[in-house]
Amino acid sequence: MTGGPGAGKTSLITELARRGFQNIPESGRAIIREEMARGGDALPWADRMAYAERMLERDLRAYEDAQALSGPVIFDRGIPDIMGYLTLCGLPVPPHVAATAKAARYSARVFLTPYWDEIFTQDTERTQTRTEAEATCAVMRETYTVLGYQITELPRTDIASRADFVCAQLTI
């Protein structure tokens, strides 16, 4: 599951988990909480490259751990999101990040939560503006497409209907 911030990814994944799907939470928020608690600077508003490297480390470990799970596993963002993040920040994508994104493949179908102004909110960890959220969605779509994934855009509807849509797509 990918897209911009505030587009309903985590809420949808919570509903899918309630329906029995295994899931891997977003690494970015956890890293922000950890860095803030310890006074670190691997943060998107401080050392963006260090933040990306921390996400890569955590996302690769989660990807490897998920290989032992049975059935579909829903990831709240994935390794390609790190490439998109760096691109969005105007930073170069290090070769090892690109190589990892190409080697650690997810299912061919990736669900994209489109920017949705009516539900977008900010908080202490999600500080992006509406414009940045919309740009993030576009960059994630492009990043996953370039990597050869099939993008399935989620409808702008309530969480239960979105979850029904995902479930129907997973059975195709």
Side-chain angles (χ1 to χ4, degrees), residues 131-143:
T131 301
E132 290 168 327
E134 198 165 10
T136 300
C137 181
V139 166
M140 295 309 167
R141 178 190 305 271
E142 177 65 19
T143 300

Side-chain angles (χ1 to χ4, degrees), residues 57-77:
E57 176 185 308
R58 187 169 294 204
D59 288 352
L60 184 56
R61 187 172 49 242
Y63 175 86
E64 291 167 350
D65 290 348
Q67 302 308 304
L69 301 175
S70 62
V73 178
I74 309 295
F75 286 80
D76 190 341
R77 300 199 176 277

